[in-house]
Structure formats: C-alpha cells, structure tokens
Amino acid sequence: MTTERYNAREAEARWQKVWDERGIFATRNDDPRPRYYVLEMFPYPSGRIHMGHVRNYTMGDVVARYKRAKGFNVLHPMGWDAFGMPAENAAMERKIHPKAWTYDNIAAMKAQLKSMGLSLDWRREIATCDPAYYKHQQKMFLDFLRAGLVERKKSKVNWDPVDQTVLANEQVIDGRGWRSGAIVEQRELTQWFFAITHFAQDLLDALDELERWPDKVRLMQKNWIGRSEGLLVRFGLDPATTPNGEHELEIFTTRHDTLFGARFMALSPDHPLAIAAARKNPALAAFIAECKRHGTAQEVIDKAEKLGFDTGMRAIHPFDRTWTLPVYVANFVLMDYGTGAIFGCPAHDQRDLEFANKYGLGNTPVVCPQGQDAATFVIADTAYDGEGLLINSRFLDGMTIPQAKEEVARRLETELRGNQPVAQRQINFRLRVWGISRQRYWGCPIPIIYCDHCGVVPVPERDLPVTLPEDVAFDRPGNPLDRHPTWKHVTCPQCGRKATRETDTMDTFVDSSWYFARFTDPWITTAPTERAAVDEWLPVDQYIGGIEHAILHLLYSRFFTRAMRATNHAGIDEPFAGLFTQGMVVHETYQKADGTWAEPAEVKIEGSDDKRRAFLVETGEPVEIGPIEKMSKSKRNTVDPDDIIATYGADVARWFMLSDSPPDRDVNWTERGVQGAWRFAQRLWRLIGDAAEIAASAPAERPAEFGPAALAVRKAAHGALARVSDEIEKLHFNVCVAQIYEFTNTLSEAIDEAAETPAVAPDLRWAIREAANIMVQLFHPMMPHLAEQCFALLGHDDLVAQASWPKVELDLLIEDTVTLPVQVNGKKRAEVTVSRAATNAEIEAAVLALPEVQRALEGKKPKRVIVVPQRIVNVVA
RNA sequence: GGCCGCGUGGUGGAACGGUAGACACAGCAGACUUAAAAUCUGCUUCUGGGAAACCGGAGUGCCGGUUCGAAUCCGGCCGCGGCCACCA
C-alpha cells in the first residue's frame, strides 16, 4: 500500500496552471490535422455558474479531450451571451451600470469555469456586449437588409404599460409582465423583422438531413414551422350587404373537400372588412372592442367561449350562386394566419361546430366514415375529422378526401372571375417573421437613422459600430436610449439634415445566432467572419445544450446561417451537424414549518430510505423532505458548484455529473452520490499508486509472450478500452463510467493477487503497467486533474492531456472459446463452453449431452435446436 | 384538444430481438480498529423447498399478438412527463 490521500484542491490548481502555461488548449486554424468543433451553449453572465452549467460543460469537455486524444485538431471555445434584461434590472435595483454588472459577472464566472479544469481555448473568448462583436452584427443587419431579409412593419406586440417596453412572448406569464405584474396590452408598433419565413421550406426540408439531432427536436421544429397545404378561395360577396360595396372575400382552407358543408363565413376582429363594417355599425364596433379586451393569457384562451357577431353581409358559395352564407366576425379567427377569414364547416371542425351550435347555424355532414350509413350519420357535439367518403356534396359524392380536394382545387383554379382564378393552391406556414426590436438599452443598437427628408437610412458602414452611450440613467422605466439628451440626435448621412437614430436594440437571440461562427476566427476586425475559417470549422460537430432551446435559439441560428450564406459571410447552411440536449440537474426540496424553503447546505439528513428525516443544521428544527425538482432559486434547492469544488474537487463534481443518469435525462444531485464519486477518486489514486509500484520494475521491452495472469489483465484493459471508446462516441457517459468501475474492480483484483506473490513475473508487471496507463487515459476526459497526477505517478514526463488515445489490440478481444447460454423452450437451463470455431452440429451435440438439458427434456426428443453463433442456443422440445 | 416520449429491484439505471437487473447508491452481515472514520469481504428482484451447496416457480405498468426466443417488435388499455395550442 502506498501514498497518502489525493489532495484535489492542491493538485487541481497545480495542473490547471501547467495547462495554462503550456497553452495546450490553444487551437490553431492552420493545424493540418482533421478538425473537430465541440461547443456548449454559451452562458448568460448571471453572476454565478450553476449545476446545469457544470453538467453541460463537463460533457463538452469529455468530448473535447477525447477527440483531442484521438488526433483531432479540436476547437472548444467559450464566450458570453452578455446582453439582456437582467443587467438592466440590476441597474434599476442596485444602481450599477449594466456594463459594469455584466463584466463583473463575467470575471466571476470565468474564474469558476477555470476551476472546473475545462480544456477551453480562452484566447477566443467573446462577449456579445463588446462593440468588437456587435459591430459585425450591425454590419450583417445592413447586409441582410440589402438582401431583402429584413423588413420593417407595423405589428402587434406585447406591451408592458408599467415598464413601458415590449416583452417577448416568453416574458408574458398568464397575461402579465413577468417583472411588473401588469396586465400586458396588445399594441401596434413599427418593428424590425428578420424574414425567417423566407427560408421556411428549406428550414423544414433540411431537418431530414440533420441525422445527428434528436428526433424530438427535429419534430418540434417541424411542428413550429407548421407547413400546411391548402387553397386560397375568393368567395363572392353580395355588394348590397357590404359596407362599401365590397364584392369579394378571400379565405384560406386546408379542407376544401368540405366546401359543401359550409354554413357560415367568419372574419377576424382585425380583418379590414370587419373594421370597415364596424365604422357603420356601432354594435359591431363594440363587439370588436370586446374581443380585443381579452388578453392572450392561456387560461383565457382555454376557457374563452366562441363568440360571434352577424355582420349582415352575405357571401356566395363558389359552386352555387344561389347559396348564400352569413358572414360573422368571430373571436377565434386569427388575423395573422392565412387571410384572417375562414369558411365554417361545423360538421368537420370542432371550433366551427361549437360556434354553429351557439348561433343555431346547423351543420351538414359531408364526410362519412366507412361502414357508417350516410343516411343516419349525424353530427351533434363532436365534429368528425377522420377519413371517409364524401356525401351531400353533389359532384364530389363518393370520393375520398384527397380526391375531393383535388377536384375542388382543379375546378376553382380553372374558373375565372374578373380574369383571376377563383382559387389557387397555397402553402402556408405557422412560422412567423422574427421580430427583433426591443425597447431596451442593454442590447445591440439597430444601425438605422430616420430622416424626415430621406426616410429610413442605414448607418453607413464607415460609421459602425453604433455604440451604446454609457452615461445613461435607470431611474425611470422605459428605454434610456430614447430619452438620452444627445445620443439619438444625428445628422442624416445622406442629406446632412437633422435626423434621429433608431433607439430600439436587437433581441438578444440575434447575438447568439452567430457566435459559433465568430469563434472560428474571433480576431478578424474587418469582417464578421473569416470565410476560410468559418467554412472549414462549421458546422459544429457536436453542440450540447438544454432542450429549452429546441425551437428558439436553434431555429434562429439555422436561419441566421442561411442569411449569412446569402450575404457571403458563410458558405454553409446548417450551423450544427450534431446536437445533444442534456437533462436538467434536480434536487430534493426542503420545506420548513412556516412554508419557506431551506437550502440543501442548511440541512442535515438522518436515516435512510423511507426513514430519512431532515433537520436544519443550525437549530435542529425538523424540515419536510419534499419532491425532487429542478434546481431553482424559488425552491432554494440549489447546490453551489463552488462549494462542491472546494470540498471535493472539480474532478469529483464532473464524475458524479456523468455517472448517475443517462446524459439526456435529469440527474438527481445527492450528497451521497457525490461522496461515492469522491471515494472512487481516492480509490483510483490508491490503485494507480499500487500499480505504479509493481510497474516500476517492469521490463522496458514488451515481453514476447504473456502468461495467463498477464493475458487476463491485458484482455480486461483492452476490453474496457474498446467499450469506453465506443460509449464516449455515443455520448453514453453513464455507461462509460460503469465500464470504468468494472475495469477498476478487475484491475484491483489482479494487483492484489500480484502483490501477494513474492516475485511478480516480468510479463505481469508489464501488463499491469499497460493496464494502469490505459486506466488513466480512460478516465482522463472525465477527471483530468487526477489523471495528470496519476500519469505523472506512472513515470510520465509529458501530460495525459496531450497523450494519444491508446490503440485497442483487437486480437486480445477474440477468445478461443466461447461460453453460450443454453435455453430449453426459451428458459435458460445451462451454459456450454465450446471452441470458437465449433460448428453448429458440434455445438448441438454438446448441448444435448448436458445433464441439465436432458433433465429438462425428460427423455423427449427435441423438435428443433437453434444455434445462434457466438450468442445463444435454444432447444425446442 | 393535437403531437411526442417514457413506465425495469429500496434508488439511479444496464441490456445489437438472445443469460433481465451490468455498474453505482442505499441497506444487511462480517473483518480490521479501544472506538469512530476510512478501508476490505460477503449478501441484497420476489417467492416455494432446503441446515447448506443447491433445486424450482414468477417477474421489466396491465391485457393480448408476432417469434424457437420479447424489457426490446405490433395492437389495445392504465399511469407519468414534455412540447405546442382557437394555425382554419
């Protein structure tokens, strides 16, 4: 037995310094080896890292260190998603400038990340709030504008009347502003938009190619993009009934097969025709106002009754001039999908049915399910949206739904009214243009100037960046840029007259939509990207982050990359070839008698399993052990990574993060689990110490032959090597950990046995040294500091972080004999060991001779014997 | 409401259609200790028989099916979770 305890705190600082001084994680773009880009979603500098970061960055670091050992030129950078509301909130609450707050936080978090021992190229660090970064973002905004990918239009937004700002949809909770608690209003504001819809079809199609993305994320994006094929139909209106003699109403439908089931038309309250009618009809105007008064809160929408108002207008059925339909304004029709108007078919659409039932409009079933008698098929409270054959539909009767759709489209497409076809096929997307204007200070300024004379004028590129003024006050709500005394007042770059700047800044999701490209060459000052670097490094080989970004960030980045291609800033479409979404870090909750929550660090646990009881360390007051939930400030069930690293070391934190759960599922952080990881680190340290003693006198030359003991050690080592490599490639870190545990068990048994022998044979010494080296390399990606320490202990002068991944000797993995389980009627009864080369007939004979098999057969003759080579034998009696 | 995913010991979880429960945590028993910690050894799905070695039965939410063989594939239930949600 050797050595004292492994002192993680001392060793980790020491090895981090060595890595740092030797600059071994600096990545060169001119390195000729094959490239591998691994990236974790960069953090928002909130001030402290949390356990979710630890998990995320540990996984990325395992991949980075493994790929480096495999001979790749690995790019593994880190940066800061540094713009955003919390900085302004801090400014308002604590009178700190957002910039100072942000950079203080970055410094603190960087120190924390460094204590984790991550193999990052810090020379490439970027912060999105740095003018050296957002300058290029402004340049790309202007390029996108020129390329027709940016538009400016009036649109409805969530407006917080207390904070006086637009809020993103996700910042509206139950219809109220998340900070102010004020009921959010819908306002019409002129905003800047990115035309993500321009790429809707391509963004959808390309999902099929993203084979290394989780199916779940691809499906979520597919649903979000929401393609639907339908028909735009121009219904005639009776001009005598319309406010200004309008004679036409265009609707969008995907169920044109049900056109003969139509009972009414419905307009969105925002529809121009509805507004026009309201001008002449005060009751309608009141109804529309009432519709708008209802918030966008989920609850309201869930419970909202379908309400309508008969405008008195009458529409004419496209297939029958004598058939008129009432035109309603209805609260459930959205203005920003399709044309903002629909035809209602109550029999086959639940919403339409509820509406029709309320207003006594009746229904006509036109699709009859197979096996149902059309004469008795009646719709009452539930619309039928399944398959079937057309009924009550004149020339469509008897057709299937697709046939009927095609027939309707064909007829209406070729029928003209006023030189225009009555209908045309259209593909609609649920995806909307991306509104990027924010009435916020701490964001990237939109480089636009408004001139009364020249209109909307892009800031000339020579004047970039448009930087944020630093002398701003946060004593009032609203946008400090707007009320700054001088900042927005400029002269027009075109005519030289007085003009004003755009005071909105960009959504912070813009900042994070291209940072991965900037990492490939963060030094270039003349352009956002260095084309050669960006095209060679991208797409990111392995991107790792939370599932919460499945749509927003990941979809925006896919759009942005396409836009960058269109403007010659990149030559690729997809930013992330491989995506992995990791699970959350969860923890038990502890609730005090008064209902408040206690932190894990304040709580002491006694007993085990269902007898576990928790007490406050300080007072001994009992606390209730609550459900396991995502770590959050509100439930106070957070564990501070600093505390864990100070107590156990970064390696232990990293190891436990990887060990307990599959990486895509939630991991439950437990004190016991961490202690287990800590014990294992100590055990490894002792094991390598023991191995080093035996290995010290191992022969330098590889022995020509190995005895059985040495061979067994070698087989175990190379088997573990093969399996762990395979599982790292698949990101099955928890299985890796289990394989390393198993290898540890076999290696320590071998070493214990060897230690009992008076004279250990040279070949065994050699094999143990080899195995110990493989062991250290296997756990290096997960526990890099301990690995360096062990590597040195084994007599290496160089660093394990720079060592090549060991090569598997495949010969060692092939056994001469193979042990097969033997089943009788699918139940395991015995095992049989046969030569690897044994024929099926030989195996069958050996199996039938087994006493267990004969007993199970009870003298009967087997019907069949199935031999699956190298796997199993099943005797069918 | 729509779409999707998941149900395996006391717990986290392993398991190309082929020995279910690897590995770990917790637990129990023992060794070493004056003692504790640490460490080491053994046991640990349920159940019947047996002093024991061992021999049998059941078992991956429930019910069926396909197969020589199903945790895995198919169908139907039950339960849990996620995302989207008046998208025509």
Side-chain angles (χ1 to χ4, degrees):
Chain A
M1 282 286 156
T2 45
T3 53
E4 63 272 25
R5 269 190 183 183
Y6 171 66
N7 182 342
R9 191 200 278 256
E10 178 275 328
E12 290 185 352
R14 184 156 40 79
W15 289 113
Q16 283 162 19
K17 193 156 167 262
V18 171
W19 297 330
D20 219 25
E21 283 169 358
R22 300 197 195 173
I24 60 170
F25 304 130
T27 307
R28 290 170 42 165
N29 284 351
D30 61 358
D31 189 316
R33 293 173 300 167
R35 295 160 192 272
Y36 193 90
Y37 188 177
V38 55
L39 185 68
E40 302 95 62
M41 291 179 185
F42 68 163
Y44 177 79
S46 57
R48 316 227 11 109
I49 64 168
H50 53 68
M51 282 300 183
H53 292 126
V54 173
R55 193 175 193 204
N56 192 185
Y57 301 144
T58 298
M59 290 179 191
D61 201 47
V62 170
V63 174
R65 287 177 179 269
Y66 170 75
K67 287 290 178 181
R68 215 175 273 119
K70 289 290 268 185
F72 289 90
N73 181 31
V74 171
L75 178 56
H76 187 214
M78 182 55 73
W80 309 96
D81 189 11
F83 274 136
M85 299 226 329
E88 288 185 64
N89 295 340
M92 281 183 251
E93 285 157 17
R94 287 186 257 158
K95 313 242 179 283
I96 310 170
H97 193 279
K99 182 178 172 182
W101 184 85
T102 302
Y103 277 98
D104 284 354
N105 288 348
I106 288 176
M109 290 175 74
K110 187 173 175 181
Q112 288 186 295
L113 290 183
K114 288 210 159 194
S115 76
M116 282 182 64
L118 303 170
S119 63
L120 294 163
D121 183 358
W122 281 106
R123 300 171 316 141
R124 295 178 188 246
E125 176 183 6
I126 52 181
T128 57
C129 65
D130 184 347
Y133 180 82
Y134 69 69
K135 164 187 169 180
H136 302 296
Q137 194 163 302
Q138 292 172 339
K139 153 80 172 151
M140 284 192 285
F141 176 92
L142 297 175
D143 288 347
F144 292 0
L145 183 62
R146 245 189 310 274
L149 293 170
V150 178
E151 48 191 75
R152 187 168 177 263
K153 65 172 188 182
K154 225 178 190 191
S155 131
K156 264 210 248 174
V157 291
N158 304 304
W159 179 260
D160 184 323
V162 172
D163 280 357
Q164 295 185 25
T165 181
V166 166
L167 294 179
N169 286 337
E170 58 270 28
Q171 292 156 4
V172 180
I173 297 158
D174 289 338
R176 293 170 183 273
W178 70 329
R179 239 179 63 81
S180 68
I183 291 178
V184 167
E185 300 168 1
Q186 300 292 303
R187 275 209 184 177
E188 291 256 322
L189 284 179
T190 303
Q191 304 264 292
W192 288 96
F193 293 87
F194 280 155
I196 187 168
T197 45
H198 186 264
F199 297 105
Q201 187 67 55
D202 186 39
L203 286 167
L204 184 66
D205 292 342
L207 285 173
D208 289 339
E209 312 297 318
L210 295 174
E211 284 163 13
R212 294 199 298 116
W213 279 41
D215 289 342
K216 185 182 179 180
V217 174
R218 291 198 279 179
L219 186 66
M220 282 166 74
Q221 291 212 352
K222 185 183 172 211
N223 292 339
W224 186 266
I225 295 168
R227 182 183 196 270
S228 55
E229 290 181 21
L231 204 63
L232 272 179
V233 186
R234 294 157 61 214
F235 276 68
L237 291 173
D238 176 358
T241 63
T242 57
N244 304 305
E246 290 91 345
H247 63 278
E248 197 169 276
L249 175 63
E250 194 171 43
I251 60 101
F252 176 74
T253 180
T254 56
R255 287 304 302 272
H256 31 293
D257 54 309
T258 65
L259 218 39
F260 286 105
R263 285 286 177 152
F264 64 95
M265 311 292 290
L267 305 173
S268 163
D270 296 310
H271 195 281
L273 193 55
I275 293 165
R279 285 206 193 93
K280 302 193 170 167
N281 185 343
L284 178 56
F287 175 77
I288 290 175
E290 177 65 20
C291 288
K292 291 196 176 191
R293 212 174 53 75
H294 282 293
T296 50
Q298 202 52 61
E299 253 177 290
V300 179
I301 290 173
D302 281 344
K303 291 175 189 161
E305 209 179 350
K306 306 274 177 285
L307 294 175
F309 188 99
D310 186 351
T311 61
M313 289 186 258
R314 292 295 175 263
I316 300 156
H317 195 280
F319 284 122
D320 186 345
R321 288 176 175 281
T322 64
W323 181 354
T324 61
L325 296 155
V327 179
Y328 280 75
V329 170
N331 64 347
F332 66 93
V333 180
L334 304 175
M335 189 57 220
D336 55 358
Y337 187 79
T339 62
I342 61 162
F343 88 86
C345 174
H348 304 290
D349 182 292
Q350 189 61 33
R351 291 159 307 178
D352 294 350
L353 183 64
E354 286 170 30
F355 189 81
N357 286 349
K358 182 173 170 71
Y359 293 101
L361 301 169
N363 71 74
T364 313
V366 290
V367 177
C368 183
Q370 300 260 337
Q372 177 91 36
D373 180 7
T376 60
F377 185 50
V378 175
I379 299 289
D381 294 325
T382 309
Y384 177 71
D385 61 0
E387 291 178 14
L389 298 180
L390 273 286
I391 55 171
N392 302 328
S393 295
R394 306 184 191 185
F395 53 84
L396 300 176
D397 281 351
M399 290 186 185
T400 63
I401 293 172
Q403 286 167 345
K405 279 184 181 174
E406 181 55 34
E407 181 63 17
V408 168
R410 197 186 57 76
R411 289 196 184 217
L412 293 182
E413 255 175 343
T414 51
E415 190 180 322
L416 297 183
R417 190 167 60 227
N419 289 329
Q420 296 289 320
V422 170
Q424 65 184 83
R425 293 170 210 247
Q426 197 190 47
I427 291 161
N428 254 321
F429 294 94
R430 216 190 67 114
L431 185 69
R432 302 288 148 74
V433 286
W434 171 17
I436 59 155
S437 297
R438 296 290 180 270
Q439 292 68 45
R440 282 282 158 186
Y441 166 75
W442 195 232
C444 172
I446 295 173
I448 291 289
I449 288 165
Y450 300 107
C451 170
D452 286 343
H453 192 68
C454 307
V456 178
V457 181
V459 172
E461 279 180 29
R462 62 171 186 276
D463 293 340
L464 296 183
V466 177
T467 52
L468 291 167
E470 300 207 4
D471 53 334
V472 284
F474 290 91
D475 48 352
R476 291 180 275 162
N479 184 356
L481 290 180
D482 204 32
R483 56 173 188 259
H484 188 278
T486 58
W487 185 77
K488 73 174 176 184
H489 301 292
V490 290
T491 55
C492 172
Q494 278 178 16
C495 70
R497 281 178 250 214
K498 280 189 179 173
T500 52
R501 282 192 191 286
E502 170 66 77
T503 57
D504 285 354
T505 54
M506 293 186 210
D507 181 3
T508 56
F509 276 109
V510 179
D511 312 339
S512 55
S513 290
W514 69 286
Y515 76 106
F516 45 85
R518 184 68 188 169
F519 276 138
T520 63
D521 185 346
W523 300 286
I524 185 169
T525 57
T526 52
T529 55
E530 207 277 302
R531 273 299 298 272
V534 81
D535 289 353
E536 279 165 20
W537 280 113
L538 288 181
V540 173
D541 294 281
Q542 187 62 61
Y543 196 38
I544 308 176
I547 186 83
E548 66 273 18
H549 291 108
I551 292 168
L552 291 168
H553 162 58
L554 290 168
L555 191 60
Y556 291 153
S557 297
R558 295 183 63 220
F559 155 73
F560 213 89
T561 308
R562 283 166 170 77
M564 284 173 76
R565 180 177 192 147
T567 51
N568 288 318
H569 293 297
I572 44 108
D573 286 337
E574 288 295 336
F576 314 118
L579 173 70
F580 187 83
T581 52
Q582 101 261 6
M584 296 183 299
V585 182
V586 296
H587 197 285
E588 276 183 341
T589 47
Y590 306 105
Q591 194 162 28
K592 298 187 216 174
D594 63 0
T596 61
W597 304 90
E599 282 179 26
E602 302 169 334
V603 169
K604 178 178 60 175
I605 308 278
E606 283 173 10
S608 65
D609 293 334
D610 52 343
K611 280 169 285 195
R612 292 170 74 243
R613 299 215 311 213
F615 305 89
L616 288 185
V617 175
E618 263 187 40
T619 61
E621 175 197 332
V623 291
E624 195 182 328
I625 299 177
I628 296 165
E629 293 185 33
K630 180 184 181 176
M631 285 191 179
S632 73
K633 279 180 192 162
S634 59
K635 292 286 169 69
R636 302 190 72 210
N637 60 338
T638 55
V639 172
D640 187 349
D642 269 0
D643 291 348
I644 298 297
I645 291 172
T647 311
Y648 298 102
D651 285 341
V652 167
R654 293 166 62 124
W655 184 259
F656 178 57
M657 268 307 181
L658 299 170
S659 63
D660 240 34
S661 294
D664 52 347
R665 286 198 217 167
D666 293 350
V667 64
N668 185 21
W669 186 270
T670 62
E671 185 66 15
R672 279 174 176 166
V674 187
Q675 282 170 0
W678 188 80
R679 282 199 300 271
F680 182 65
Q682 296 296 339
R683 188 176 164 213
L684 276 178
W685 173 240
R686 287 194 305 273
L687 177 71
I688 299 300
D690 292 348
E693 270 187 19
I694 294 171
S697 53
E701 294 287 311
R702 174 192 169 114
E705 286 193 27
F706 292 95
L711 202 56
V713 169
R714 299 201 69 214
K715 282 181 176 178
H718 283 265
L721 174 60
R723 288 190 293 270
V724 169
S725 308
D726 192 40
E727 300 296 347
I728 292 183
E729 298 272 4
K730 290 191 278 191
L731 308 180
H732 293 171
F733 304 119
N734 59 320
V735 187
C736 284
V737 164
Q739 298 287 357
I740 291 172
Y741 270 113
E742 211 166 344
F743 179 32
T744 305
N745 292 341
T746 48
L747 183 58
S748 56
E749 274 168 38
I751 287 174
D752 288 351
E753 269 174 43
E756 284 167 17
T757 328
V760 183
D763 66 324
L764 183 55
R765 289 182 185 276
W766 193 92
I768 286 175
R769 185 176 65 195
E770 182 195 34
N773 274 302
I774 288 175
M775 170 69 79
V776 171
Q777 292 214 247
L778 286 184
F779 72 76
H780 155 251
M782 298 91 175
M783 296 197 280
H785 311 86
L786 177 63
E788 291 293 1
Q789 191 79 11
C790 290
F791 207 58
L793 188 63
L794 287 168
H796 294 274
D797 297 327
D798 49 349
L799 298 171
V800 70
Q802 290 182 290
S804 298
W805 198 250
K807 290 215 164 42
V808 182
E809 286 184 29
L810 290 169
D811 293 354
L812 289 168
L813 305 187
I814 299 165
E815 300 285 345
D816 294 337
T817 60
V818 53
T819 299
L820 302 174
V822 176
Q823 296 180 333
V824 178
N825 290 334
K827 278 192 190 303
K828 190 199 165 197
R829 296 294 175 184
E831 285 181 349
V832 66
T833 300
V834 294
S835 155
R836 185 179 173 76
T839 64
N840 284 5
E842 286 166 352
I843 293 171
E844 190 174 326
V847 162
L848 292 177
L850 290 170
E852 294 94 333
V853 173
Q854 296 196 336
R855 183 147 37 90
L857 285 175
E858 294 168 332
K860 283 178 279 186
K861 245 192 120 192
K863 285 193 197 124
R864 244 176 106 185
V865 180
I866 293 148
V867 178
V868 185
Q870 317 299 325
R871 279 249 151 247
I872 200 167
V873 182
N874 192 14
V875 179
V876 186

